[in-house]
Amino acid sequence: MSTKYFPKDFLWGAATASYQIEGSPLADGAGSSIWHRFSHTPGNILNGDTGDVAADHYRRYKEDIALMKEMGLKGYRFSIAWPRIYPYGKGKINVKGMDFYDRLVDELLEAGITPFITLYHWDLPATLQDLGGWANRDIACWFADYADYMFQRLGDRVENWSTLNEPWVVAFVGHLFGEHAPGMKDIYSAFLVTHNQLRAHSKAVRAFREANIANGKIGITLSNTSHDPATDSMEDKIAAKVAHEWNNYPLFLHPIYYGDYPDTVKEFLKEYLPKNYYKDMEEIKEEIDFVGINYYSGDLVKFDPDSPLGGKSVKRGLPKTEMGWEIYPEGFYKILKGLQDEYNPKEVYVTENGAAFDDKVENGEVHDHKRIDYLKKHFEMAHKAIEDGVKLKGYFVWSLLDNFEWAFGYSKRFGIVYVDYNTQKRIIKDSGKWYSQIIKNNSLDF
Ligand SMILES: OC[C@@H]1[C@@H](O)[C@H](O)[C@@H](O)c2nc(CNc3ccccc3)cn21
């Protein structure tokens, strides 16, 4: 057993998202979002759950920040609900909605916690969806205007900004698989949404540069699953590469860094890319300051001629979380190291990593040993990645609080803090207490 230290000033934090924790979605003049609409449409969410109350963070944010301080968190990643700021997506500003985030940021700074803002974590103003949403090219301007207003209002106190959370999930889970808002099932729309998110992201980055925020850094947060070939066969290796370049960071970083989609996306999926997409690539190719990596699990990919991507996902038979995702810490290292090797970002943050387990309260405590084991194994891989040259500057556990887990409603618990949804009582789980020690020592014994 040896003690491994993380770099000085490593930003240890926790992450949340507006629709998943805030509740009060229409309070104080806020507009409806596509997730308010989607969750209130019968059949979309398990048990008919909605984000109407969630973890009641909109009203309990001071209590939650006190919990963050008690755990010794250095940073807090949260998202802004666009419809609280612009109830109709654009035009009229909602002062009370802006006030909430003003107060939230001030309370964080007072507690000595570094804010890390995500501008978009899926709760699009419903009125913009009525105009086509992310499938409408005009959304690049709508998003950039919203982003610029946030830079002007919070840029004096917030240095770290991410434009989009998991644009792949927005595009494909929301517009091809239909399991997330807005519930569409059209592959051409999914690729158009991919492309318009890139246009919106880069337009917002240019607005960020214009805002000239002191020590400001802006990036994008991308979902990733470690895809390994099921065998050493060339067919399986190609299938795994295609899965990686479509499902992971390359789909967005190749345009941002190199001004085109990845080779396998162009080879296997070209017919679905927007017509004349390459004309937008010059504006999409815009330098960013960091890449946010979300990682949870990995799989094996086996050649499958009947699959659109020429491959299918295969399990390894490893232990799984409550989401059915296999626990594969090695994949965390592979994604981080692969990112640094393929795109050499100036900085990397782990913006989400965590696990859902069947947490139970026993005598007022939650002994979530499986979550501690999951996190410990992933921290070991993060440390190895740093040793091998990955410019990893921080880590945000998903999530601070148990919360609304999208189509699964409240049936899945990811928090290091337990939320009793009947009473809104918070209980710091054993994992939250363990994490506090890791942060305090900035080290891991393994
Ligand atoms: O599922 C846990 C979290 C979720 O609560 C976050 O809002 C979201 O950013 C998030 N992304 C993933 C991984 N990607 C993913 C893939 C398919 C569907 C949903 C998420 C996990 N999570």
Side-chain angles (χ1 to χ4, degrees):
M1 180 77 78
S2 67
T3 299
K4 303 267 186 179
Y5 287 88
F6 282 78
K8 184 176 178 300
D9 301 330
F10 192 75
L11 188 63
W12 291 103
T16 64
S18 42
Y19 190 75
Q20 294 183 269
I21 67 163
E22 289 178 359
S24 309
L26 304 179
D28 298 330
S32 178
S33 74
I34 57 174
W35 267 96
H36 180 70
R37 189 180 277 179
F38 191 75
S39 68
H40 280 263
T41 303
N44 285 339
I45 312 298
L46 192 63
N47 304 323
D49 290 339
T50 74
D52 288 358
V53 179
D56 199 26
H57 180 75
Y58 186 74
R59 300 189 314 150
R60 298 169 185 268
Y61 72 94
K62 288 189 178 181
E63 173 188 352
D64 292 333
I65 292 172
L67 279 172
M68 295 180 214
K69 187 174 182 180
E70 182 182 344
M71 289 189 285
L73 298 189
K74 304 290 186 190
Y76 175 52
R77 174 181 176 239
F78 63 98
S79 74
I80 307 283
W82 186 344
R84 292 197 193 281
I85 311 301
Y86 287 95
Y88 303 103
K90 52 193 169 79
K92 175 179 171 294
I93 297 282
N94 175 33
V95 173
K96 286 186 177 178
M98 186 64 235
D99 286 350
F100 169 67
Y101 294 106
D102 247 333
R103 285 180 275 119
L104 179 66
V105 166
D106 289 343
E107 195 75 18
L108 285 168
L109 295 175
E110 180 65 27
I113 297 167
T114 300
F116 201 106
I117 286 180
T118 307
L119 285 163
Y120 183 71
H121 199 127
W122 306 355
D123 42 0
L124 186 74
T127 50
L128 297 186
Q129 189 61 44
D130 296 338
L131 299 173
W134 288 104
N136 183 333
R137 278 183 66 90
D138 291 343
I139 197 150
C141 294
W142 303 336
F143 179 72
D145 288 346
Y146 154 61
D148 186 45
Y149 182 72
M150 297 316 296
F151 300 148
Q152 302 305 324
R153 288 300 307 267
L154 298 176
D156 60 323
R157 288 158 284 160
V158 178
E159 295 177 354
N160 305 292
W161 298 78
S162 178
T163 53
L164 304 171
N165 179 75
E166 299 196 338
W168 184 92
V169 177
V170 171
F172 294 96
V173 185
H175 294 81
L176 176 58
F177 308 144
E179 294 162 6
H180 280 189
M184 288 177 66
K185 296 184 178 180
D186 175 77
I187 193 164
Y188 291 94
S189 297
F191 277 94
L192 181 54
V193 164
T194 296
H195 193 67
N196 284 338
Q197 287 183 98
L198 277 163
R199 294 179 51 246
H201 156 82
S202 295
K203 201 170 179 63
V205 170
R206 284 190 288 279
F208 185 80
R209 302 299 181 214
E210 284 296 307
N212 202 18
I213 291 171
N215 304 311
K217 290 178 184 172
I218 192 162
I220 188 169
T221 295
L222 303 171
S223 51
N224 299 278
T225 299
S226 174
H227 295 305
D228 294 322
T231 70
D232 280 342
S233 72
M234 186 51 70
E235 288 176 329
D236 286 355
K237 285 179 180 175
I238 291 170
K241 185 173 184 342
V242 174
H244 172 64
E245 294 194 342
W246 168 68
N247 185 220
N248 293 335
Y249 55 79
L251 181 62
F252 298 92
L253 294 189
H254 224 77
I256 290 169
Y257 280 86
Y258 303 135
D260 204 351
Y261 285 108
D263 292 344
T264 59
V265 170
K266 289 193 295 181
E267 182 181 346
F268 289 85
L269 300 163
K270 192 173 182 69
E271 71 162 293
Y272 304 121
L273 292 173
K275 192 170 171 2
N276 300 325
Y277 77 84
Y278 50 87
K279 291 183 178 177
D280 297 318
M281 281 299 173
E282 200 46 46
E283 70 170 23
I284 288 171
K285 192 169 177 286
E286 187 74 44
E287 188 171 347
I288 54 177
D289 303 310
F290 68 85
V291 172
I293 290 292
N294 292 359
Y295 176 83
Y296 290 85
S297 180
D299 67 3
L300 294 173
V301 180
K302 182 145 193 64
F303 172 66
D304 175 9
D306 299 329
S307 156
L309 286 173
K312 63 183 178 184
S313 177
V314 176
K315 300 286 188 188
R316 287 182 170 87
L318 297 172
K320 296 177 183 172
T321 71
E322 280 298 304
M323 296 295 282
W325 300 342
E326 288 195 329
I327 299 171
Y328 185 54
E330 297 79 358
F332 193 32
Y333 173 84
K334 291 178 183 180
I335 288 291
L336 292 170
K337 187 70 169 68
L339 166 71
Q340 199 69 56
D341 292 346
E342 292 163 39
Y343 297 98
N344 195 27
K346 287 188 276 188
E347 294 187 340
V348 180
Y349 285 88
V350 172
T351 32
E352 285 178 31
N353 173 244
F357 291 110
D358 186 19
D359 301 329
K360 295 288 185 241
V361 180
E362 299 168 82
N363 302 320
E365 296 183 318
V366 180
H367 304 306
D368 56 335
H369 303 306
K370 288 183 180 178
R371 183 171 290 106
I372 292 173
D373 185 61
Y374 176 99
L375 293 176
K376 185 172 187 297
K377 285 173 177 159
H378 285 76
F379 292 176
E380 290 170 8
M381 289 294 119
H383 189 275
K384 177 175 166 52
I386 293 168
E387 281 184 328
D388 291 354
V390 176
K391 297 166 187 170
L392 184 61
K393 303 298 177 186
Y395 171 98
F396 295 88
V397 64
W398 186 269
S399 179
L400 171 72
L401 302 169
D402 293 336
N403 60 56
F404 177 80
E405 180 48 41
W406 308 116
F408 292 94
Y410 298 101
S411 67
K412 308 297 181 188
R413 293 180 179 270
F414 277 89
I416 56 174
V417 175
Y418 185 94
V419 177
D420 179 332
Y421 296 112
N422 296 317
T423 64
Q424 287 297 339
K425 182 172 187 291
R426 275 83 162 127
I427 302 172
I428 298 177
K429 301 177 189 176
D430 286 359
S431 60
K433 297 170 185 172
W434 173 83
Y435 190 41
S436 300
Q437 286 305 305
I438 298 295
I439 297 169
K440 183 181 174 186
N441 301 329
N442 196 33
S443 67
L444 195 59
D445 293 329
F446 62 95

